[in-house]
Amino acid sequence: EAQVTQNPRYLITVTGKKLTVTCSQNMNHEYMSWYRQDPGLGLRQIYYSMNVEVTDKGDVPEGYKVSRKEKRNFPLILESPSPNQTSLYFCASAIEYRNTQYFGPGTRLTVL
Amino acid sequence: GQQVMQIPQYQHVQEGEDFTTYCNSSTTLSNIQWYKQRPGGHPVFLIQLVKSGEVKKQKRLTFQFGEAKKNSSLHITATQTTDVGTYFCAGHGTNAGKSTFGDGTTLTVKP
Protein backbone atom coordinates (compact mmCIF):
# COMPACT_ATOMS: atom_id res chain seq x y z
CA GLU A 1 0.00 0.00 0.00
CA ALA A 2 1.35 3.41 -1.01
CA GLN A 3 1.76 5.48 2.10
CA VAL A 4 3.68 7.95 4.21
CA THR A 5 4.44 6.76 7.72
CA GLN A 6 5.49 8.80 10.73
CA ASN A 7 6.78 7.72 14.09
CA PRO A 8 6.01 8.24 16.83
CA ARG A 9 2.38 9.26 16.50
CA TYR A 10 2.33 10.82 19.94
CA LEU A 11 5.20 12.10 22.05
CA ILE A 12 5.42 13.95 25.33
CA THR A 13 8.89 15.16 26.23
CA VAL A 14 10.67 17.78 28.29
CA THR A 15 12.47 20.94 27.31
CA GLY A 16 15.96 20.35 25.96
CA LYS A 17 15.75 16.61 25.37
CA LYS A 18 16.74 15.90 21.76
CA LEU A 19 14.21 13.99 19.71
CA THR A 20 13.72 12.72 16.19
CA VAL A 21 10.46 12.19 14.35
CA THR A 22 10.84 9.77 11.49
CA CYS A 23 9.08 9.97 8.14
CA SER A 24 9.18 7.33 5.44
CA GLN A 25 7.45 6.98 2.07
CA ASN A 26 7.27 3.94 -0.20
CA MET A 27 6.24 5.71 -3.41
CA ASN A 28 9.72 6.62 -4.69
CA HIS A 29 8.82 10.30 -4.40
CA GLU A 30 11.52 12.90 -4.95
CA TYR A 31 9.92 15.65 -2.88
CA MET A 32 9.36 15.51 0.86
CA SER A 33 8.33 18.18 3.32
CA TRP A 34 7.59 18.81 6.98
CA TYR A 35 4.75 20.98 8.26
CA ARG A 36 3.51 22.01 11.64
CA GLN A 37 -0.14 22.69 12.31
CA ASP A 38 -1.28 24.98 15.08
CA PRO A 39 -4.85 26.14 15.78
CA GLY A 40 -5.79 29.07 13.58
CA LEU A 41 -2.44 29.04 11.76
CA GLY A 42 -3.02 26.36 9.17
CA LEU A 43 -0.07 24.34 7.93
CA ARG A 44 3.30 26.03 8.00
CA GLN A 45 6.23 24.54 6.11
CA ILE A 46 9.30 23.81 8.22
CA TYR A 47 11.74 22.24 5.75
CA TYR A 48 11.50 20.56 2.39
CA SER A 49 13.66 18.38 0.23
CA MET A 50 13.63 18.34 -3.55
CA ASN A 51 15.70 15.16 -3.69
CA VAL A 52 18.35 13.15 -1.89
CA GLU A 53 20.92 15.38 -0.18
CA VAL A 54 18.96 18.52 -1.16
CA THR A 55 17.12 20.27 1.66
CA ASP A 56 15.93 23.83 2.13
CA LYS A 57 14.19 25.99 4.68
CA GLY A 58 10.49 26.59 4.67
CA ASP A 59 8.73 29.39 6.51
CA VAL A 60 9.42 28.28 10.09
CA PRO A 61 12.75 26.40 10.21
CA GLU A 62 14.09 27.77 13.51
CA GLY A 63 14.77 25.06 16.06
CA TYR A 64 14.54 22.20 13.56
CA LYS A 65 16.95 20.17 11.46
CA VAL A 66 16.37 17.64 8.72
CA SER A 67 18.40 15.26 6.63
CA ARG A 68 17.76 13.38 3.39
CA LYS A 69 20.33 10.66 3.06
CA GLU A 70 17.97 8.24 1.35
CA LYS A 71 15.06 8.91 -0.97
CA ARG A 72 12.48 7.26 1.26
CA ASN A 73 13.35 8.85 4.61
CA PHE A 74 13.16 12.42 5.83
CA PRO A 75 13.60 12.67 9.61
CA LEU A 76 12.81 15.82 11.56
CA ILE A 77 15.22 16.55 14.38
CA LEU A 78 14.63 18.82 17.34
CA GLU A 79 18.03 19.29 18.99
CA SER A 80 16.71 21.16 22.01
CA PRO A 81 12.91 21.20 22.04
CA SER A 82 11.08 24.07 23.67
CA PRO A 83 7.41 24.43 24.69
CA ASN A 84 6.67 26.62 21.65
CA GLN A 85 7.39 23.57 19.49
CA THR A 86 4.36 21.81 20.94
CA SER A 87 2.33 21.16 17.82
CA LEU A 88 0.91 18.64 15.36
CA TYR A 89 3.53 17.70 12.77
CA PHE A 90 2.87 16.33 9.30
CA CYS A 91 5.27 14.86 6.83
CA ALA A 92 4.32 14.86 3.15
CA SER A 93 5.76 13.56 -0.09
CA ALA A 94 5.15 14.16 -3.79
CA ILE A 95 6.49 12.83 -7.08
CA GLU A 96 8.00 16.28 -7.56
CA TYR A 97 7.54 19.56 -5.82
CA ARG A 98 4.42 20.89 -7.56
CA ASN A 99 2.51 17.66 -7.63
CA THR A 100 -0.05 16.19 -5.26
CA GLN A 101 1.28 15.94 -1.72
CA TYR A 102 0.53 12.78 0.25
CA PHE A 103 0.47 13.36 3.97
CA GLY A 104 1.43 11.09 6.81
CA PRO A 105 -0.95 10.53 9.74
CA GLY A 106 0.69 13.21 11.90
CA THR A 107 2.75 13.31 15.08
CA ARG A 108 1.36 15.13 18.09
CA LEU A 109 4.26 16.52 20.09
CA THR A 110 4.02 18.05 23.53
CA VAL A 111 7.08 19.71 25.06
CA LEU A 112 6.79 20.38 28.77
CA GLY B 1 7.58 36.33 1.22
CA GLN B 2 4.61 34.66 -0.32
CA GLN B 3 1.44 34.78 1.75
CA VAL B 4 -1.82 32.97 1.16
CA MET B 5 -4.91 34.26 2.91
CA GLN B 6 -8.04 32.17 3.21
CA ILE B 7 -11.51 33.25 4.27
CA PRO B 8 -13.68 32.66 6.11
CA GLN B 9 -11.97 30.90 9.00
CA TYR B 10 -15.18 29.14 10.03
CA GLN B 11 -18.46 28.48 8.29
CA HIS B 12 -21.53 26.88 9.85
CA VAL B 13 -24.26 25.84 7.44
CA GLN B 14 -27.50 23.93 7.48
CA GLU B 15 -27.39 20.73 5.47
CA GLY B 16 -28.41 21.52 1.91
CA GLU B 17 -27.02 25.06 1.92
CA ASP B 18 -24.11 26.06 -0.28
CA PHE B 19 -20.60 26.84 0.95
CA THR B 20 -17.71 28.81 -0.50
CA THR B 21 -14.15 29.38 0.69
CA TYR B 22 -11.79 31.89 -0.89
CA CYS B 23 -8.04 31.93 -1.19
CA ASN B 24 -5.92 34.98 -2.05
CA SER B 25 -2.19 35.07 -2.66
CA SER B 26 0.13 38.06 -2.33
CA THR B 27 2.04 36.85 -5.40
CA THR B 28 1.26 35.13 -8.67
CA LEU B 29 1.06 31.38 -8.29
CA SER B 30 2.26 28.69 -10.68
CA ASN B 31 -0.48 26.42 -9.42
CA ILE B 32 -2.88 26.00 -6.53
CA GLN B 33 -4.00 22.84 -4.77
CA TRP B 34 -6.94 22.18 -2.49
CA TYR B 35 -6.92 19.74 0.40
CA LYS B 36 -9.53 18.51 2.87
CA GLN B 37 -8.76 17.52 6.44
CA ARG B 38 -11.39 15.64 8.40
CA PRO B 39 -11.43 16.13 12.19
CA GLY B 40 -8.53 14.16 13.67
CA GLY B 41 -7.18 13.28 10.24
CA HIS B 42 -4.52 14.42 7.84
CA PRO B 43 -4.90 16.63 4.75
CA VAL B 44 -6.07 14.77 1.67
CA PHE B 45 -5.60 16.11 -1.84
CA LEU B 46 -8.73 17.21 -3.70
CA ILE B 47 -7.58 18.95 -6.86
CA GLN B 48 -4.91 21.02 -8.58
CA LEU B 49 -5.47 24.06 -10.80
CA VAL B 50 -2.76 25.29 -13.13
CA LYS B 51 -4.20 27.47 -15.88
CA SER B 52 -5.42 31.04 -15.58
CA GLY B 53 -9.21 31.09 -15.28
CA GLU B 54 -9.41 27.32 -14.90
CA VAL B 55 -12.61 25.79 -13.54
CA LYS B 56 -12.86 22.18 -12.44
CA LYS B 57 -15.77 20.24 -11.00
CA GLN B 58 -15.94 17.18 -8.81
CA LYS B 59 -19.58 16.25 -8.27
CA ARG B 60 -20.90 18.99 -5.95
CA LEU B 61 -17.52 20.74 -5.66
CA THR B 62 -16.46 23.52 -8.05
CA PHE B 63 -12.93 24.90 -8.04
CA GLN B 64 -11.84 28.10 -9.76
CA PHE B 65 -8.44 29.69 -10.39
CA GLY B 66 -8.46 33.42 -11.01
CA GLU B 67 -7.41 35.04 -14.25
CA ALA B 68 -4.40 36.64 -12.58
CA LYS B 69 -3.49 33.35 -10.87
CA LYS B 70 -3.56 35.05 -7.48
CA ASN B 71 -6.88 33.82 -6.16
CA SER B 72 -8.97 30.70 -6.06
CA SER B 73 -12.25 29.47 -4.67
CA LEU B 74 -13.93 26.23 -3.70
CA HIS B 75 -17.72 26.08 -3.83
CA ILE B 76 -19.79 23.20 -2.49
CA THR B 77 -23.39 22.95 -3.64
CA ALA B 78 -26.01 21.50 -1.30
CA THR B 79 -23.70 20.56 1.55
CA GLN B 80 -23.96 17.18 3.24
CA THR B 81 -22.78 16.08 6.68
CA THR B 82 -19.94 14.21 4.97
CA ASP B 83 -18.53 17.56 3.83
CA VAL B 84 -17.50 18.58 7.36
CA GLY B 85 -13.83 19.28 7.82
CA THR B 86 -11.22 21.93 7.16
CA TYR B 87 -10.48 22.94 3.59
CA PHE B 88 -7.02 24.26 2.75
CA CYS B 89 -5.63 25.86 -0.34
CA ALA B 90 -1.90 25.55 -1.04
CA GLY B 91 -0.03 27.72 -3.48
CA HIS B 92 3.25 27.24 -5.26
CA GLY B 93 5.07 30.31 -6.47
CA THR B 94 8.36 30.92 -8.16
CA ASN B 95 10.43 29.60 -5.27
CA ALA B 96 10.71 25.98 -6.26
CA GLY B 97 9.86 23.63 -3.44
CA LYS B 98 8.13 26.13 -1.19
CA SER B 99 4.52 25.34 -0.51
CA THR B 100 2.35 27.94 1.22
CA PHE B 101 -0.93 26.88 2.78
CA GLY B 102 -3.83 29.10 3.67
CA ASP B 103 -5.05 28.98 7.26
CA GLY B 104 -8.00 26.85 6.24
CA THR B 105 -11.77 27.15 6.43
CA THR B 106 -13.48 24.84 8.90
CA LEU B 107 -16.93 23.77 7.72
CA THR B 108 -19.56 22.40 10.06
CA VAL B 109 -22.86 21.13 8.71
CA LYS B 110 -25.98 20.94 10.84
CA PRO B 111 -28.30 18.09 9.82
Side-chain angles (χ1 to χ4, degrees):
Chain A
E1 180 190 354
Q3 60 182 349
V4 179
T5 56
Q6 293 179 228
N7 283 291
R9 294 289 313 280
Y10 303 90
L11 179 61
I12 301 174
T13 189
V14 295
T15 299
K17 187 175 180 182
K18 180 179 178 180
L19 67 93
T20 299
V21 183
T22 64
C23 173
S24 183
Q25 50 92 7
N26 62 0
M27 296 171 278
N28 202 36
H29 285 172
E30 290 189 351
Y31 179 84
M32 296 186 77
S33 181
W34 276 103
Y35 299 90
R36 62 177 288 174
Q37 184 174 28
D38 302 290
L41 295 177
L43 290 151
R44 293 181 293 169
Q45 192 174 39
I46 303 171
Y47 269 95
Y48 61 91
S49 170
M50 301 282 272
N51 214 325
V52 177
E53 301 291 2
V54 180
T55 63
D56 212 339
K57 296 177 181 178
D59 291 320
V60 289
E62 296 78 21
Y64 304 95
K65 284 174 60 177
V66 292
S67 69
R68 188 93 183 272
K69 296 187 174 115
E70 311 162 278
K71 202 170 190 179
R72 65 183 295 127
N73 296 322
F74 190 44
L76 179 70
I77 303 153
L78 284 73
E79 295 269 3
S80 183
S82 61
N84 64 14
Q85 292 179 297
T86 292
S87 187
L88 177 58
Y89 291 87
F90 287 103
C91 178
S93 72
I95 293 174
E96 57 175 16
Y97 75 95
R98 278 185 290 197
N99 286 92
T100 304
Q101 293 189 60
Y102 295 86
F103 283 80
T107 295
R108 188 166 291 280
L109 172 66
T110 302
V111 183
L112 301 174
Chain B
Q2 181 177 292
Q3 290 187 324
V4 175
M5 310 295 288
Q6 194 173 348
I7 56 169
Q9 189 174 3
Y10 300 97
Q11 186 78 59
H12 311 283
V13 300
Q14 193 78 34
E15 188 172 23
E17 292 181 338
D18 291 356
F19 159 76
T20 305
T21 173
Y22 301 90
C23 201
N24 290 288
S25 171
S26 58
T27 58
T28 302
L29 301 170
S30 59
N31 69 2
I32 195 157
Q33 297 169 342
W34 285 92
Y35 293 80
K36 178 183 178 180
Q37 184 179 24
R38 293 183 187 275
H42 58 274
V44 174
F45 175 80
L46 292 176
I47 210 156
Q48 175 166 286
L49 304 168
V50 179
K51 298 176 186 173
S52 169
E54 190 169 15
V55 178
K56 287 189 176 180
K57 293 191 175 185
Q58 287 180 350
K59 297 182 181 177
R60 294 177 295 104
L61 279 60
T62 302
F63 304 84
Q64 294 189 357
F65 201 10
E67 294 289 342
K69 300 183 75 172
K70 295 180 74 173
N71 58 73
S72 181
S73 65
L74 157 59
H75 179 81
I76 302 178
T77 303
T79 54
Q80 300 175 357
T81 54
T82 52
D83 294 326
V84 298
T86 301
Y87 293 85
F88 292 99
C89 59
H92 296 89
T94 55
N95 189 343
K98 264 200 143 179
S99 185
T100 303
F101 278 73
D103 290 344
T105 296
T106 299
L107 172 66
T108 55
V109 180
K110 188 174 180 182

